[in-house]
């Protein structure tokens, strides 16, 4: 078994997750079996209760685990389905150790960070490695070297190398090389300090991934190598790329794949490009559309990263580039102005009342102006509320999440959740079967009677209102396998609008983009061409 550990230095937000994903993509497409995992040194048990404003999107896996958004990147770059075991948190580790202690499994010994916590960390890493049957496991360590929280994890990884052997564990370190002065001189000091910090805890990096504005000069590489003992071939210059899916080739062009494969003495693996056409479309889109994404976390776009990626997947497959216009839903309460020039509207998922009235207005605006529409999860629920309020004239229609006393609870709590107070882990989560009805827009989009999609919700369409909603043109074209939960909403007079209770963005992949995002983008283009009365750039 081989391990590549990726740590971060200098400051956060350097793109460690994308770098880890890109390296794993290169290794996988060289014929190796690869998996990736993330260590999050926070005390939360999982990401489920975390505010997207602080940590970005909560990503959901097939098994229903609520995890860090980097797991989404690994899935997209590796094209695999991971499980919750691939996300280790301090909370998970301590909970397990304390439970073992309570069961008397430590036979009276004093339970300590070394060896008990570090052993539990290594056990979890090896467990993922063994169950995946991978040749190489990439382990990304969240946070920055020097953080108190990450110490036990780095110590465990140091021990892992000692136990597995030098040739089985590789340490990569992501750092920043700032450029100063008019001449843009590249400064190596922050990297030197950060490597020094790593060495103090007994870890010598083998690779440096250096973020800088312009490519590292030969002289910068020489100096970095001199001070850090990382061979020059192990120093990768990571400049900004226009699209994250272009990063693997940037890294590959610097020989990093060979370097890693040689380190592990794995013979006979060379890279096979699988994204050639995909990247061509990303670089040379033949059309562009503007999609308004209406949410309340629009200042932190990482809160909607899977939607952003899903649109990128659509572009990679059909050549229609998507400019996302981030629209803060609260601004729509006053005026529709921000939706005036868009070609399509996406309302993504969300929790809590703030921002909901603006989203309901966006759904209404889309219906009244026949603008292509996609609603996801809360966006689906909002579309239902909009029909109830404005077509059925139930003025107080709402979800009981926002107004528990409403006279018209068109969206209500799932029956099995009634009475649950604890917010952690009480939702309908993960991959569930959805049955698609024949002769509907959904059946055209999916071409299948049965799909599996990922969920994360507590509330759902109240069955008491289905007849009334249907009388106004709503069609529930997808349901769960018991036929009691509404999963897909469409309208019998609108080809360009669809909404889903599930999160199709979570399963979107570069070579198999979300079907409903594709549908939105294709209709956005039609809408745009009709609106400007112009000729398509493609047909011109
Ligand atoms: N807040 C809604 C619910 O709990 C929608 C959830 C979501 O959009 N992920 O059902």
């Amino acid at each position: 078994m081989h391990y590549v550990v990726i740590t971060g230095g200098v400051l956060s937000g350097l793109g460690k997750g994308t770098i880890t994903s890109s390296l794993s993509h290169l290794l996988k497409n060289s014929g190796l079996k690869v998996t990736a995992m993330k260590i999050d040194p926070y005390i939360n048990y999982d990401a489920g209760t975390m505010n997207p404003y602080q940590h970005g999107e909560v990503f959901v896996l097939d098994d229903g685990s609520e995890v860090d958004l980097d797991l989404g990147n690994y899935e997209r770059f590796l094209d695999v389905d991971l499980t919750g075991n691939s996300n280790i948190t301090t909370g998970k580790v301590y909970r397990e150790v304390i439970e073992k202690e309570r069961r008397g499994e430590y036979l009276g010994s004093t339970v300590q960070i070394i060896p008990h916590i570090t052993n539990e960390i290594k056990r979890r890493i090896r467990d993922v490695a063994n169950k995946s049957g991978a040749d190489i496991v990439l382990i990304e360590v969240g946070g920055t070297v020097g953080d108190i929280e990450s110490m036990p994890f780095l110590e465990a990884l140091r021990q892992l190398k000692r136990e597995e052997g030098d040739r089985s564990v590789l340490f990569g370190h992501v750092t920043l090389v700032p450029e100063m002065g008019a001449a843009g001189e590249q400064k190596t000091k922050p990297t030197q300090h950060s490597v020094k910090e790593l060495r103090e805890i007994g870890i010598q990096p083998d690779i440096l991934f250096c973020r800088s504005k312009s490519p590292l000069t030969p002289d910068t590489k020489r100096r970095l190598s001199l001070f850090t003992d990382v061979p020059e071939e192990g120093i990768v210059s990571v400049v900004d790329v226009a699209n994250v899916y272009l990063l693997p080739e940037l890294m590959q062009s610097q020989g990093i794949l060979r370097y890693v494969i040689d380190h592990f003495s794995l013979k006979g693996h060379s890279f096979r490009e699988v994204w050639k056409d995909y990247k061509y479309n990303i670089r040379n889109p033949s059309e562009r559309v503007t999609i308004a994404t209406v949410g309340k976390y629009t200042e932190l776009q990482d809160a909607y990263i899977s939607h952003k990626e899903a649109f990128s997947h659509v572009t990679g497959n059909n050549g229609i580039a998507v400019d996302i216009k981030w629209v803060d839903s609260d601004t729509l309460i006053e005026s529709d102005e921000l939706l005036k020039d868009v070609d399509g509207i996406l309302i993504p998922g969300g929790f809590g009342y703030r921002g909901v009235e603006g989203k309901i207005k966006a759904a209404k605006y889309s219906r009244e102006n026949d603008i292509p529409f996609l609603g996801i999860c809360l966006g689906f629920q909002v579309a239902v509320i909009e029909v109830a309020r404005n077509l059925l004239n139930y003025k107080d229609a709402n979800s009981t999440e926002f107004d528990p006393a409403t006279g018209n609870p068109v969206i209500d709590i799932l029956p099995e959740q009634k009475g649950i107070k604890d917010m952690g882990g009480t939702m309908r989560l993960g991959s569930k079967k959805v049955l698609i009805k024949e002769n509907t827009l959904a059946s055209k989009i999916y071409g299948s009677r049965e799909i599996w999609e990922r969920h994360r919700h507590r509330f759902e369409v109240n069955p008491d209102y289905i007849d009334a909603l249907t009388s106004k043109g709503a069609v529930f074209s997808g349901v769960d396998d018991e036929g009691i939960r509404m999963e897909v909403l469409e309208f019998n007079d609108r080809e360009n609008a669809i909404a889903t209770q599930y999160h199709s963005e979570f399963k979107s992949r570069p070579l198999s983009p979300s079907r409903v995002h594709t549908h939105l983008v294709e209709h956005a283009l039609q809408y745009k061409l009709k609106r400007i009365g112009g000729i398509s750039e493609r047909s011109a």
Side-chain angles (χ1 to χ4, degrees), residues 275-303:
W275 287 347
K276 191 162 171 281
D277 298 341
Y278 180 81
K279 287 188 294 190
Y280 178 84
N281 284 330
I282 296 269
R283 285 197 168 99
N284 310 287
S286 51
E287 306 281 355
R288 303 198 81 84
V289 294
T290 302
I291 307 277
T293 298
V294 180
K296 66 173 167 180
Y297 299 123
T298 45
E299 276 156 51
L300 181 75
Q301 291 151 19
D302 265 0

Side-chain angles (χ1 to χ4, degrees), residues 163-180:
E163 291 162 18
E164 300 286 325
D166 273 1
R167 288 275 141 192
S168 298
V169 181
L170 235 166
F171 280 95
H173 190 56
V174 180
T175 80
L176 175 72
V177 175
E179 291 174 15
M180 302 296 289

Side-chain angles (χ1 to χ4, degrees), residues 181-218:
E185 191 195 343
Q186 295 183 327
K187 295 291 192 184
T188 62
K189 195 67 103 207
T191 304
Q192 292 178 41
H193 277 296
S194 158
V195 169
K196 184 164 161 265
E197 192 124 21
L198 259 181
R199 284 165 151 178
E200 269 168 25
I201 51 182
I203 294 173
Q204 164 64 43
D206 306 285
I207 309 175
L208 295 178
F209 296 99
C210 301
R211 293 299 313 275
S212 56
K213 236 173 111 211
S214 39
L216 296 180
T217 64

Side-chain angles (χ1 to χ4, degrees), residues 417-476:
Q417 304 286 15
K418 282 203 167 132
I420 291 180
K421 298 248 156 28
D422 185 359
M423 290 305 246
T426 58
M427 277 187 278
R428 183 163 184 255
L429 282 165
S431 181
K432 312 270 178 211
K433 194 196 283 181
V434 176
L435 304 177
I436 303 291
K437 294 194 180 142
E438 260 176 310
N439 301 319
T440 57
L441 174 61
S443 73
K444 245 204 272 175
I445 290 177
Y446 286 104
S448 162
R449 296 297 307 280
E450 191 183 303
I451 57 170
W452 287 82
E453 289 282 354
R454 295 183 185 171
H455 295 72
R456 182 173 188 246
H457 64 117
R458 262 189 208 99
F459 296 81
E460 63 179 15
V461 177
N462 184 341
D464 297 345
Y465 287 89
I466 289 175
D467 285 345
L469 291 162
T470 311
S471 74
K472 293 292 174 191
V475 178
F476 290 100

Side-chain angles (χ1 to χ4, degrees), residues 366-367 370-374 439-445 473 475 489-499 515-516 518-524 526-527 530:
S366 130
R367 180 175 54 76
D370 202 29
I371 300 175
F373 175 83
L374 173 60
N439 301 319
T440 57
L441 174 61
S443 73
K444 245 204 272 175
I445 290 177
V475 178
L489 166 69
E490 55 189 64
F491 304 95
N492 58 16
D493 55 350
R494 287 181 75 188
E495 183 77 14
N496 61 8
I498 192 148
R515 301 266 182 120
V516 287
T518 305
H519 183 78
L520 174 67
V521 171
E522 283 168 355
H523 277 272
Q526 284 182 26
Y527 175 84
K530 213 163 70 194

Side-chain angles (χ1 to χ4, degrees), residues 348-352 376-379 381 399 401-402 411 427 455-460 501 503:
F351 291 83
I376 299 278
C377 206
L378 178 61
Q381 299 173 358
S399 163
E401 178 181 5
F402 314 127
I411 305 290
M427 277 187 278
H455 295 72
R456 182 173 188 246
H457 64 117
R458 262 189 208 99
F459 296 81
E460 63 179 15
Q501 182 62 77
H503 290 266

Side-chain angles (χ1 to χ4, degrees), residues 296 330 351-357 360 389 398 401-403:
K296 66 173 167 180
D330 277 344
F351 291 83
Y353 183 53
R354 188 175 75 76
V356 167
E357 293 301 327
I360 295 171
R389 283 194 193 173
N398 216 331
E401 178 181 5
F402 314 127
D403 180 4

